[in-house]
Coordinates of all heavy atoms in Angstrom, one line a residue:
M210 N 106.3 73.0 91.4 CA 105.2 73.7 92.2 C 104.9 75.1 91.5 O 105.9 75.7 91.1 CB 105.7 74.1 93.6 CG 105.5 73.0 94.6 SD 105.8 73.6 96.2 CE 105.6 72.0 97.1
P211 N 103.7 75.4 91.4 CA 103.4 76.7 90.8 C 103.8 77.8 91.7 O 103.9 77.7 92.9 CB 101.8 76.6 90.6 CG 101.4 75.3 91.1 CD 102.5 74.6 91.7
R212 N 104.0 78.9 91.0 CA 104.4 80.2 91.7 C 103.4 81.2 91.3 O 103.0 81.4 90.2 CB 105.8 80.6 91.2 CG 106.2 82.0 91.8 CD 107.5 82.5 91.3 NE 108.5 81.6 91.8 CZ 109.7 81.3 91.2 NH1 110.0 81.9 90.1 NH2 110.5 80.5 91.7
I213 N 102.9 81.9 92.4 CA 102.0 83.0 92.2 C 102.7 84.3 92.5 O 103.3 84.4 93.5 CB 100.7 82.8 93.1 CG1 100.0 81.6 92.7 CG2 99.8 84.1 92.9 CD1 98.8 81.3 93.6
V214 N 102.6 85.2 91.6 CA 103.3 86.5 91.7 C 102.3 87.6 92.0 O 101.3 87.7 91.3 CB 104.1 86.9 90.5 CG1 104.8 88.2 90.6 CG2 105.2 85.8 90.2
V215 N 102.5 88.3 93.1 CA 101.7 89.5 93.4 C 102.5 90.7 93.2 O 103.5 90.9 93.9 CB 101.2 89.4 94.9 CG1 100.3 90.6 95.2 CG2 100.4 88.0 95.1
D216 N 102.1 91.6 92.3 CA 102.7 92.9 92.1 C 101.9 93.9 92.8 O 100.7 94.0 92.6 CB 102.9 93.2 90.6 CG 103.8 92.3 89.9 OD1 105.0 92.1 90.4 OD2 103.5 91.7 88.9
V217 N 102.5 94.7 93.6 CA 101.8 95.8 94.4 C 102.4 97.1 93.9 O 103.7 97.3 93.9 CB 102.0 95.6 95.9 CG1 101.3 96.8 96.6 CG2 101.5 94.3 96.3
M218 N 101.6 98.0 93.5 CA 102.0 99.4 93.0 C 101.2 100.4 93.7 O 100.0 100.3 94.0 CB 101.8 99.5 91.5 CG 102.7 98.5 90.7 SD 104.4 98.9 90.8 CE 104.5 100.5 90.0
P219 N 101.8 101.6 93.9 CA 101.0 102.7 94.4 C 100.0 103.1 93.4 O 100.2 103.0 92.2 CB 102.1 103.8 94.6 CG 103.3 103.4 93.8 CD 103.2 102.0 93.6
K220 N 98.8 103.5 93.9 CA 97.7 104.0 93.0 C 98.2 105.2 92.2 O 99.1 105.9 92.7 CB 96.5 104.3 93.7 CG 95.8 103.1 94.3 CD 94.5 103.4 95.0 CE 93.9 102.1 95.4 NZ 92.6 102.3 96.1
P221 N 97.8 105.4 91.0 CA 98.3 106.5 90.1 C 98.2 107.8 90.8 O 99.1 108.7 90.6 CB 97.4 106.4 88.9 CG 96.9 105.0 88.8 CD 96.8 104.6 90.3
E222 N 97.2 108.1 91.6 CA 97.0 109.4 92.2 C 97.9 109.6 93.5 O 97.9 110.7 94.0 CB 95.6 109.7 92.5 CG 95.0 108.7 93.6 CD 94.4 107.4 93.0 OE1 94.7 107.1 91.9 OE2 93.6 106.8 93.7
I223 N 98.6 108.6 93.9 CA 99.4 108.6 95.1 C 100.8 109.0 94.7 O 101.4 108.5 93.7 CB 99.4 107.2 95.8 CG1 98.0 106.8 96.2 CG2 100.4 107.3 97.0 CD1 97.4 107.8 97.3
L224 N 101.4 110.0 95.5 CA 102.8 110.4 95.2 C 103.7 109.2 95.5 O 103.5 108.3 96.3 CB 103.2 111.5 96.2 CG 102.5 112.8 95.9 CD1 102.9 113.9 97.0 CD2 102.7 113.4 94.5
D225 N 104.8 109.1 94.7 CA 105.7 108.0 94.8 C 107.1 108.6 94.9 O 107.9 108.7 93.9 CB 105.6 107.1 93.5 CG 106.6 106.0 93.5 OD1 107.2 105.7 94.5 OD2 106.7 105.3 92.4
P226 N 107.5 109.0 96.1 CA 108.8 109.6 96.2 C 110.0 108.7 95.9 O 111.0 109.2 95.3 CB 108.9 110.0 97.7 CG 107.8 109.2 98.4 CD 106.8 108.9 97.4
Q227 N 109.9 107.4 96.1 CA 111.0 106.5 95.7 C 111.1 106.5 94.2 O 112.2 106.5 93.6 CB 110.8 105.2 96.3 CG 110.9 105.2 97.8 CD 110.5 103.8 98.4 OE1 109.6 103.2 98.0 NE2 111.3 103.4 99.4
G228 N 110.0 106.4 93.5 CA 110.0 106.4 92.0 C 110.6 107.7 91.5 O 111.3 107.7 90.5
K229 N 110.2 108.8 92.1 CA 110.7 110.1 91.7 C 112.2 110.2 91.9 O 112.9 110.8 91.1 CB 109.9 111.2 92.4 CG 108.5 111.3 92.1 CD 108.3 111.7 90.6 CE 106.8 111.8 90.3 NZ 106.5 111.7 88.9
A230 N 112.7 109.6 93.0 CA 114.1 109.7 93.3 C 114.9 108.9 92.2 O 115.9 109.3 91.7 CB 114.4 109.1 94.7
V231 N 114.4 107.7 91.9 CA 115.0 106.9 90.8 C 115.0 107.7 89.5 O 116.0 107.8 88.8 CB 114.3 105.6 90.7 CG1 114.8 104.8 89.4 CG2 114.6 104.7 91.9
H232 N 113.8 108.3 89.2 CA 113.7 109.0 87.9 C 114.6 110.2 87.9 O 115.2 110.5 86.9 CB 112.2 109.5 87.8 CG 112.0 110.2 86.5 ND1 111.6 111.5 86.4 CD2 112.1 109.7 85.2 CE1 111.5 111.8 85.1 NE2 111.7 110.7 84.4
G233 N 114.8 110.9 89.0 CA 115.7 112.0 89.1 C 117.1 111.6 88.9 O 117.9 112.4 88.4
A234 N 117.5 110.4 89.3 CA 118.9 110.0 89.2 C 119.2 109.5 87.8 O 120.4 109.5 87.4 CB 119.1 108.8 90.2
L235 N 118.3 109.1 87.0 CA 118.6 108.5 85.7 C 119.4 109.4 84.8 O 120.4 109.0 84.2 CB 117.3 108.1 85.0 CG 116.6 106.9 85.7 CD1 115.3 106.6 85.0 CD2 117.5 105.6 85.7
P236 N 119.0 110.7 84.6 CA 119.8 111.6 83.7 C 121.2 111.8 84.2 O 122.1 111.8 83.4 CB 119.0 112.9 83.7 CG 117.6 112.6 84.2 CD 117.8 111.4 85.1
R237 N 121.4 111.9 85.5 CA 122.7 112.0 86.1 C 123.6 110.8 85.8 O 124.8 110.9 85.7 CB 122.7 112.2 87.6 CG 122.1 113.6 88.0 CD 122.3 113.9 89.5 NE 121.8 112.9 90.4 CZ 120.5 112.8 90.8 NH1 119.6 113.7 90.5 NH2 120.1 111.9 91.7
L238 N 123.0 109.7 85.6 CA 123.7 108.4 85.3 C 123.8 108.1 83.8 O 124.3 107.1 83.4 CB 123.0 107.2 86.0 CG 123.0 107.3 87.5 CD1 122.1 106.2 88.1 CD2 124.4 107.3 88.1
G239 N 123.3 109.1 83.0 CA 123.4 108.9 81.5 C 122.2 108.2 80.9 O 122.3 107.9 79.7
F240 N 121.1 108.0 81.6 CA 119.9 107.3 81.0 C 118.9 108.4 80.7 O 118.4 109.0 81.7 CB 119.4 106.3 82.0 CG 120.3 105.2 82.3 CD1 121.0 105.2 83.5 CD2 120.6 104.2 81.4 CE1 122.0 104.2 83.8 CE2 121.5 103.2 81.7 CZ 122.2 103.2 82.9
H241 N 118.5 108.6 79.5 CA 117.7 109.7 79.1 C 116.3 109.2 78.5 O 115.5 110.1 78.2 CB 118.4 110.6 78.2 CG 119.6 111.2 78.8 ND1 119.6 112.2 79.7 CD2 120.9 110.9 78.6 CE1 120.9 112.5 80.1 NE2 121.7 111.7 79.4
A242 N 116.2 108.0 78.3 CA 115.0 107.5 77.5 C 113.7 107.3 78.4 O 112.6 107.2 78.0 CB 115.3 106.2 76.8
V243 N 113.9 107.2 79.8 CA 112.8 107.0 80.7 C 112.1 108.2 81.0 O 112.7 109.2 81.5 CB 113.4 106.3 82.0 CG1 112.2 106.0 82.9 CG2 114.1 105.0 81.6
T244 N 110.8 108.3 80.8 CA 110.0 109.5 81.1 C 109.3 109.5 82.4 O 108.9 110.5 82.9 CB 108.9 109.7 80.0 OG1 108.1 108.5 80.0 CG2 109.6 109.8 78.6
D245 N 109.2 108.3 83.1 CA 108.6 108.3 84.4 C 109.0 107.0 85.1 O 109.2 106.0 84.4 CB 107.1 108.4 84.4 CG 106.5 108.8 85.7 OD1 107.3 109.2 86.7 OD2 105.3 108.6 85.9
V246 N 109.0 106.9 86.4 CA 109.3 105.7 87.2 C 108.3 105.6 88.3 O 108.0 106.6 89.0 CB 110.7 105.7 87.8 CG1 110.9 104.5 88.6 CG2 111.7 105.8 86.7
R247 N 107.7 104.5 88.5 CA 106.8 104.2 89.6 C 107.4 102.9 90.3 O 107.8 102.0 89.6 CB 105.4 103.8 89.2 CG 104.6 104.9 88.5 CD 104.2 106.1 89.3 NE 103.1 105.7 90.2 CZ 102.6 106.5 91.1 NH1 103.2 107.6 91.3 NH2 101.6 106.1 91.9
Q248 N 107.6 103.0 91.6 CA 108.3 101.9 92.3 C 107.2 101.1 93.1 O 106.4 101.7 93.8 CB 109.3 102.4 93.2 CG 110.1 101.3 94.0 CD 111.3 101.8 94.7 OE1 111.9 102.7 94.3 NE2 111.6 101.2 95.8
G249 N 107.3 99.8 93.0 CA 106.3 98.9 93.7 C 107.0 97.8 94.4 O 108.2 97.8 94.6
K250 N 106.2 96.8 94.7 CA 106.8 95.6 95.4 C 106.3 94.3 94.6 O 105.3 94.3 94.0 CB 106.2 95.5 96.8 CG 106.5 96.7 97.7 CD 105.9 96.5 99.1 CE 104.4 97.0 99.0 NZ 103.8 97.1 100.3
R251 N 107.1 93.3 94.7 CA 106.8 92.0 94.1 C 106.9 90.9 95.1 O 107.9 90.8 95.8 CB 107.7 91.8 92.9 CG 107.6 90.4 92.3 CD 108.6 90.2 91.2 NE 108.7 88.8 90.8 CZ 108.6 88.4 89.6 NH1 108.3 89.2 88.6 NH2 108.7 87.1 89.3
F252 N 105.9 90.1 95.2 CA 105.9 88.9 96.1 C 105.8 87.7 95.3 O 104.9 87.6 94.3 CB 104.7 89.0 97.1 CG 104.7 90.2 98.0 CD1 104.1 91.4 97.6 CD2 105.4 90.1 99.2 CE1 104.1 92.5 98.5 CE2 105.4 91.2 100.1 CZ 104.8 92.4 99.7
E253 N 106.6 86.7 95.5 CA 106.5 85.4 94.8 C 106.1 84.3 95.9 O 106.8 84.1 96.9 CB 107.9 85.0 94.2 CG 108.3 86.0 93.1 CD 109.6 85.6 92.5 OE1 110.3 84.7 93.0 OE2 110.0 86.3 91.5
L254 N 105.0 83.7 95.6 CA 104.4 82.7 96.6 C 104.4 81.4 95.9 O 103.8 81.2 94.9 CB 103.0 83.1 96.9 CG 102.8 84.6 97.4 CD1 101.3 84.9 97.5 CD2 103.5 84.8 98.7
E255 N 105.1 80.4 96.5 CA 105.1 79.0 96.1 C 103.9 78.4 96.7 O 103.6 78.5 97.9 CB 106.4 78.3 96.5 CG 107.6 78.9 96.0 CD 107.9 78.7 94.5 OE1 107.3 77.7 94.0 OE2 108.6 79.5 93.9
V256 N 103.1 77.7 95.9 CA 101.9 77.0 96.4 C 101.8 75.6 95.9 O 102.5 75.2 94.9 CB 100.6 77.8 95.9 CG1 100.6 79.2 96.5 CG2 100.5 77.8 94.4
E257 N 101.0 74.7 96.5 CA 100.9 73.4 96.1 C 100.2 73.3 94.8 O 100.5 72.4 93.9 CB 100.1 72.6 97.2 CG 100.9 72.4 98.5 CD 102.0 71.5 98.4 OE1 102.0 70.5 97.6 OE2 103.0 71.7 99.1
A258 N 99.1 74.1 94.6 CA 98.3 74.1 93.4 C 97.8 75.5 93.2 O 97.4 76.1 94.2 CB 97.2 73.0 93.5
A259 N 97.7 75.9 92.0 CA 97.2 77.2 91.7 C 95.7 77.1 91.2 O 95.4 77.5 90.1 CB 98.0 77.9 90.6
D260 N 94.9 76.5 92.0 CA 93.5 76.3 91.7 C 92.7 77.5 92.1 O 93.3 78.5 92.7 CB 93.0 75.0 92.3 CG 93.2 75.0 93.9 OD1 93.5 76.0 94.5 OD2 93.1 73.9 94.4
D261 N 91.4 77.4 91.9 CA 90.6 78.6 92.1 C 90.6 79.0 93.6 O 90.6 80.1 94.0 CB 89.1 78.4 91.7 CG 89.0 78.4 90.1 OD1 90.0 78.9 89.5 OD2 88.0 77.9 89.6
A262 N 90.5 77.9 94.5 CA 90.5 78.2 95.9 C 91.8 78.9 96.4 O 91.8 79.8 97.2 CB 90.3 76.9 96.7
T263 N 92.9 78.4 95.9 CA 94.2 79.0 96.2 C 94.3 80.5 95.7 O 94.8 81.3 96.4 CB 95.4 78.2 95.7 OG1 95.3 76.9 96.2 CG2 96.7 78.8 96.1
L264 N 93.9 80.7 94.5 CA 93.9 82.0 93.9 C 93.0 83.0 94.7 O 93.4 84.1 95.0 CB 93.5 82.0 92.5 CG 94.6 81.5 91.5 CD1 94.0 81.3 90.1 CD2 95.8 82.3 91.5
A265 N 91.8 82.5 95.2 CA 91.0 83.3 96.0 C 91.6 83.7 97.3 O 91.6 84.8 97.8 CB 89.6 82.6 96.2
E266 N 92.3 82.7 97.9 CA 93.1 82.9 99.1 C 94.2 83.9 98.9 O 94.4 84.8 99.8 CB 93.6 81.6 99.7 CG 94.2 81.7 101.1 CD 94.6 80.3 101.6 OE1 93.7 79.4 101.6 OE2 95.7 80.2 102.1
V267 N 94.9 83.8 97.8 CA 96.0 84.8 97.5 C 95.4 86.2 97.3 O 96.0 87.2 97.7 CB 96.8 84.3 96.3 CG1 97.8 85.4 95.9 CG2 97.6 83.0 96.7
H268 N 94.3 86.3 96.6 CA 93.7 87.6 96.4 C 93.3 88.2 97.8 O 93.6 89.4 98.0 CB 92.4 87.5 95.6 CG 92.7 87.6 94.1 ND1 92.9 88.8 93.5 CD2 92.9 86.6 93.2 CE1 93.2 88.6 92.2 NE2 93.2 87.2 92.0
E269 N 92.8 87.4 98.7 CA 92.5 87.9 100.0 C 93.8 88.4 100.8 O 93.8 89.4 101.4 CB 91.7 86.9 100.9 CG 91.3 87.4 102.2 CD 90.5 86.3 103.0 OE1 90.1 85.3 102.4 OE2 90.3 86.5 104.2
L270 N 94.8 87.5 100.7 CA 96.1 87.8 101.3 C 96.7 89.1 100.7 O 97.2 90.0 101.4 CB 97.1 86.7 101.0 CG 98.5 86.8 101.3 CD1 98.8 87.0 102.8 CD2 99.3 85.7 100.8
A271 N 96.6 89.3 99.4 CA 97.1 90.4 98.7 C 96.4 91.7 99.1 O 97.0 92.8 99.3 CB 97.1 90.3 97.2
G272 N 95.1 91.6 99.3 CA 94.3 92.7 99.6 C 94.3 93.1 101.1 O 93.9 94.2 101.4
T273 N 94.8 92.2 101.9 CA 94.8 92.6 103.4 C 96.2 92.7 104.0 O 96.5 93.6 104.8 CB 94.1 91.5 104.2 OG1 94.7 90.2 103.9 CG2 92.6 91.5 103.8
L274 N 97.1 91.8 103.6 CA 98.5 91.8 104.2 C 99.6 92.4 103.2 O 100.4 93.2 103.7 CB 98.9 90.4 104.5 CG 100.3 90.3 105.2 CD1 100.4 91.0 106.5 CD2 100.6 88.8 105.3
L275 N 99.5 92.0 102.0 CA 100.6 92.4 101.1 C 100.5 93.9 100.5 O 101.5 94.5 100.1 CB 100.7 91.5 99.9 CG 100.9 90.0 100.3 CD1 101.0 89.1 99.0 CD2 102.1 89.8 101.2
S276 N 99.3 94.4 100.5 CA 99.1 95.7 100.0 C 98.3 96.5 101.0 O 97.6 96.0 101.9 CB 98.4 95.7 98.7 OG 97.1 95.3 98.8
N277 N 98.3 97.8 100.9 CA 97.5 98.8 101.6 C 96.4 99.2 100.6 O 96.7 100.1 99.7 CB 98.3 99.9 102.1 CG 97.4 100.9 102.9 OD1 96.2 100.9 102.7 ND2 98.0 101.8 103.6
P278 N 95.2 98.7 100.7 CA 94.2 99.0 99.6 C 93.8 100.5 99.5 O 93.3 100.9 98.5 CB 93.0 98.2 100.0 CG 93.2 97.8 101.4 CD 94.7 97.8 101.7
V279 N 94.2 101.3 100.5 CA 93.9 102.7 100.4 C 94.8 103.4 99.4 O 94.4 104.3 98.7 CB 94.0 103.4 101.8 CG1 93.9 104.9 101.8 CG2 93.0 102.7 102.8
I280 N 96.1 103.0 99.4 CA 97.0 103.7 98.6 C 97.7 102.8 97.5 O 98.5 103.3 96.7 CB 98.2 104.3 99.4 CG1 98.9 103.3 100.2 CG2 97.6 105.4 100.3 CD1 100.2 103.8 100.9
E281 N 97.4 101.5 97.5 CA 98.1 100.6 96.5 C 97.1 99.7 95.8 O 96.0 99.4 96.3 CB 99.1 99.7 97.3 CG 100.2 100.5 97.9 CD 101.1 99.6 98.8 OE1 100.6 98.7 99.5 OE2 102.3 99.7 98.7
D282 N 97.4 99.4 94.6 CA 96.7 98.4 93.8 C 97.6 97.1 93.7 O 98.8 97.2 93.8 CB 96.5 98.9 92.3 CG 95.5 100.0 92.3 OD1 94.5 100.0 93.1 OD2 95.7 100.9 91.4
Y283 N 97.0 96.0 93.5 CA 97.8 94.8 93.3 C 97.3 94.0 92.1 O 96.1 94.1 91.7 CB 97.8 93.9 94.6 CG 96.4 93.3 94.9 CD1 96.1 92.0 94.3 CD2 95.5 93.9 95.7 CE1 94.9 91.4 94.6 CE2 94.3 93.3 96.0 CZ 94.0 92.1 95.4 OH 92.8 91.5 95.7
A284 N 98.1 93.2 91.6 CA 97.8 92.2 90.5 C 98.4 90.9 90.8 O 99.5 90.8 91.4 CB 98.4 92.7 89.2
V285 N 97.6 89.8 90.6 CA 98.0 88.5 90.9 C 98.1 87.7 89.6 O 97.2 87.8 88.7 CB 96.9 87.8 91.8 CG1 97.3 86.3 92.0 CG2 96.8 88.5 93.1
R286 N 99.2 87.0 89.4 CA 99.3 86.1 88.2 C 100.0 84.8 88.6 O 100.8 84.8 89.5 CB 100.0 86.8 87.1 CG 101.4 87.1 87.3 CD 102.1 87.8 86.1 NE 103.5 88.0 86.2 CZ 104.1 88.9 86.9 NH1 103.3 89.8 87.5 NH2 105.4 89.0 87.0
V287 N 99.8 83.8 87.8 CA 100.4 82.5 88.0 C 101.5 82.3 87.0 O 101.3 82.5 85.8 CB 99.3 81.4 87.9 CG1 100.0 80.0 88.1 CG2 98.2 81.5 88.9
E288 N 102.7 81.9 87.6 CA 103.8 81.6 86.7 C 104.0 80.1 86.8 O 103.7 79.5 87.8 CB 105.1 82.3 87.1 CG 105.1 83.8 86.9 CD 106.4 84.4 87.2 OE1 107.3 83.8 87.8 OE2 106.6 85.6 86.8
A289 N 104.4 79.5 85.7 CA 104.6 78.0 85.7 C 105.6 77.5 86.7 O 106.4 78.2 87.2 CB 105.0 77.6 84.3

């Protein structure tokens, strides 16, 4: 069965306190190469077929239920 992945991230202009907290902890843990962290969400949806109709439905789902379009962007991709 195909899997559709929906990644939801805060829009660039939106503050990301969780990402900032992770970024702030990295030097204390000895990780110095990371210059910024943004934290988002990942949804994995199993579907019968990843056809155009299903992808359109997932885009509608992502834009209404899985993300808040005021403060978040989403990306949809099909994994084998």
Side-chain angles (χ1 to χ4, degrees):
M210 274 191 188
R212 174 182 296 152
I213 299 177
V214 176
V215 179
D216 292 310
V217 178
M218 294 296 295
K220 290 185 176 182
E222 65 272 18
I223 299 296
L224 294 177
D225 178 13
Q227 293 173 319
K229 293 295 181 203
V231 171
H232 185 244
L235 292 176
R237 292 191 304 273
L238 298 172
F240 300 102
H241 302 284
V243 179
T244 59
D245 195 16
V246 176
R247 300 287 287 174
Q248 182 171 326
K250 302 177 273 189
R251 173 184 166 122
F252 298 90
E253 296 181 355
L254 310 171
E255 301 287 335
V256 295
E257 293 289 330
D260 55 18
D261 289 343
T263 302
L264 286 172
E266 189 172 309
V267 169
H268 273 279
E269 183 177 348
L270 168 68
T273 56
L274 178 64
L275 303 181
S276 70
N277 178 345
V279 175
I280 61 171
E281 297 174 317
D282 292 324
Y283 69 88
V285 175
R286 69 177 185 280
V287 178
E288 289 188 347

